[in-house]
Every structure is written in C-alpha cells, then in structure tokens.
Amino acid sequence: MNAESGTAEGAQILLVEDNPGDVRLTKEAFKQGRIENDLYVVSDGTEALEFLTQEHEYSDAPRPDLILLDLNLPRTDGEEVLLELKADPELRSIPVIVLTSSRAEEDIARSYELHANAYLTKPVDPDEFIETVRAFEEFWFSVVRLPPEVEK
C-alpha cells in the first residue's frame, strides 16, 4: 500500500476504544485525512493486549505503528494496557497516544509515568474531535519518524 505522505506503506493504527461514537468519529477523521492508514479497532484492554501479543483470534494481527488508547475501558483499563505494553521489550517502542475524555491531572501524570507518548483529551464537539484526530495524524505520520519494528 502506498501512501501519498511519502511512507512506503500505510500506517497500521490500533484504536482501543469502547465508545462506538468515538470509533465512528475517529474513522471519519482518518478517512478525511490525506494519509493512508489501516485502522484496527478493539473495544477493551484485554482485546488490545491479545491483539498486540497476537493471541487467540488476533494470531495474524499486524504490529501497529501507533496505538490510540482510551483510559476508561472495560475488563483491562488503559493504565494496565500501558503498563504491560511498556514492560514488553518487543512492544515498548510502539508510540501510544492516550485519547480519553478525562481531564484529571492525576490521569495525565500517571499516563506519562507509564510512558505514554502523548495525552489528548477528547473534545466533546464532534467537529473538534475530528480536527484533533486529523492534527495528530498529520503530526505522527508526516512529521515524526516512527521506530522500526524490533527484530525478534
């Protein structure tokens, strides 16, 4: 897959989000963007960890280039996902953007303590939400150089 952004292939993005409305808005924002990508969606932290470790139904899942992580998730919450992800030498280099409705300073501080690469608060307005997603898409896939996959 060739992207017009100059990357060899489209970005693989894992969205960990349990709110169907936010999933729809994120998909819409990426569709409107100029950067080609593949968006994979899981709805809780347990599924996210299975996707990342290629377990169960996710045995063929690709390694994502970027993870968008909500904190308030069923089963395994976002903090636990971050903790496990950043403790795994094969996965810790994947950038994680916390994209959540929480504005609590303790959530922000804790996310960075757990090595999140960015913390974004979801705007309530759908148009602002789409603009936020497009802005970080542009930054992470046009400006930033993402780490290469770690050889096993």
Side-chain angles (χ1 to χ4, degrees):
M1 185 179 327
N2 290 327
E4 293 177 21
S5 65
T7 56
E9 59 185 59
Q12 309 289 310
I13 302 168
L14 176 60
L15 173 62
V16 187
E17 174 60 68
D18 64 322
N19 180 322
D22 289 349
V23 170
R24 184 182 51 74
L25 286 173
T26 303
K27 286 180 176 179
E28 188 177 322
F30 281 131
K31 194 185 316 180
Q32 290 179 12
R34 298 185 315 271
I35 299 161
E36 193 171 320
N37 59 65
D38 294 318
L39 184 65
Y40 299 89
V41 180
V42 295
S43 59
D44 65 51
T46 302
E47 282 186 68
L49 292 169
E50 289 173 357
F51 186 101
L52 291 164
T53 55
Q54 297 179 314
E55 294 176 12
H56 307 294
E57 67 183 278
Y58 300 106
S59 61
D60 293 330
R63 174 191 164 93
D65 297 303
L66 184 72
I67 299 167
L68 303 177
L69 178 66
D70 189 11
L71 290 181
N72 305 311
L73 297 167
R75 298 202 296 172
T76 305
D77 71 16
E79 282 189 8
E80 183 64 29
V81 171
L82 256 178
L83 189 65
E84 291 194 35
L85 176 69
K86 295 303 183 178
D88 186 323
E90 292 181 13
L91 300 173
R92 73 170 56 125
S93 66
I94 301 171
V96 177
I97 298 174
V98 172
L99 183 61
T100 188
S101 55
S102 174
R103 296 180 183 275
E105 289 193 15
E106 59 269 17
D107 287 343
I108 298 167
R110 181 76 178 136
S111 293
Y112 284 117
E113 285 170 14
L114 294 172
H115 306 287
N117 297 84
Y119 189 102
L120 298 174
T121 303
K122 295 176 193 173
V124 176
D125 177 84
D127 291 332
E128 287 179 29
F129 184 98
I130 289 171
E131 192 51 45
T132 297
V133 171
R134 290 184 64 195
F136 76 68
E137 177 190 32
E138 181 74 22
F139 176 74
W140 282 96
F141 298 116
S142 293
V143 179
V144 172
R145 294 219 26 200
L146 295 172
E149 184 172 346
V150 175
E151 295 296 321
K152 292 182 182 178

